[in-house]
Amino acid sequence: MTVAMETLDRSEVFTFAWRIARQELWSRRLPSSELRSLFPNALRKAWAEMKRRTEIAAKRAAQALRPSPAIWADIQNLENRSTLGHEGINRLAELRTAYHAAREREAEEKARAEMEAKRKMIAAARGRFVSVTFTKKDGSERQMRIQPATLKHHIKGDRASESARRAAQTRAERHPNLMPVWDAEARAPRSVNLATISRIAMDGQVHEFRNHA
């Protein structure tokens, strides 16, 4: 994997190069007037080191995108070897880091997919009643009877002011786990945290979920 100069932060490379030059100036006990003459070689060293670090970071990111079972298989293969050597030890450390990153990514993807499934399930009820059980911020469990289609009759939607629409969009972007609903019993708009919904009952069927909060 090669890294082009354009992909690196030039100011960061130059700052690093000046630091290398100053270190060499100090280690060689040279006068400060020699600093500029040391810079070209320091810049080459800085470029090489920044390129190496960027390539390692890119490699680790690519590893983390692999499925965790595949990474785990590589880990097991290395751990079962009689000897590893310096390169094998470093490789094993990288794989373990990638494995944990992949597990976290897969857990997040699963949680997002499940939240979207809950959202679609609730919205599909339209004018029918849906009972949802979720966990509130204080940790207590609550059951709410909602009627999805009724909400649109109590919000302005396209008739809202520009600032109100922007505010609603910002809330949706910052809190994608919150779904606005109509509380049929309180007869008021509410929000439920899709991540904490553990049960959805509709059309005589009950769907249970693991709480991801």
Side-chain angles (χ1 to χ4, degrees), residues 5-47:
M5 185 66 179
E6 292 75 11
T7 64
L8 299 178
D9 187 327
R10 288 176 177 270
S11 63
E12 189 175 350
V13 173
F14 273 73
T15 299
F16 188 28
W18 281 117
R19 187 161 67 247
I20 293 174
R22 291 189 186 96
Q23 288 174 346
E24 186 172 353
L25 186 78
W26 178 85
S27 65
R28 294 171 60 183
R29 301 294 192 272
L30 297 173
S32 57
S33 59
E34 295 292 323
L35 181 62
R36 287 191 175 276
S37 65
L38 297 174
F39 182 75
N41 187 53
L43 182 59
R44 285 191 290 272
K45 291 181 179 179
W47 154 246

Side-chain angles (χ1 to χ4, degrees), residues 120-133:
K120 290 181 178 180
M121 188 180 297
I122 293 171
R126 299 182 182 277
R128 303 188 300 279
F129 289 103
V130 181
S131 176
V132 296
T133 302

Side-chain angles (χ1 to χ4, degrees), residues 74-169:
D74 288 347
I75 291 174
Q76 292 293 96
N77 181 49
L78 283 175
E79 289 181 338
N80 289 331
R81 294 184 182 180
S82 56
T83 58
L84 286 177
H86 181 71
E87 184 177 346
I89 291 173
N90 289 338
R91 172 63 174 162
L92 185 58
E94 290 179 358
L95 284 171
R96 285 172 175 164
T97 299
Y99 177 72
H100 291 298
R103 287 293 299 271
E104 290 180 1
R105 171 180 54 80
E106 289 166 356
E108 291 174 359
E109 290 174 352
K110 182 179 179 181
R112 285 196 297 268
E114 192 169 273
M115 284 194 295
E116 187 59 26
K118 293 174 185 177
R119 188 191 304 276
K120 290 181 178 180
M121 188 180 297
I122 293 171
R126 299 182 182 277
R128 303 188 300 279
F129 289 103
V130 181
S131 176
V132 296
T133 302
F134 60 97
T135 304
K136 296 170 63 176
K137 286 185 178 180
D138 60 8
S140 62
E141 191 174 77
R142 183 187 173 188
Q143 186 172 330
M144 184 186 296
R145 191 164 179 257
I146 61 179
Q147 193 174 22
T150 305
L151 181 66
K152 66 181 180 181
H153 300 300
H154 296 273
I155 57 175
K156 293 182 178 180
D158 293 338
R159 293 182 290 105
S161 65
E162 181 63 25
S163 60
R165 287 199 297 271
R166 285 200 302 268
Q169 182 178 353

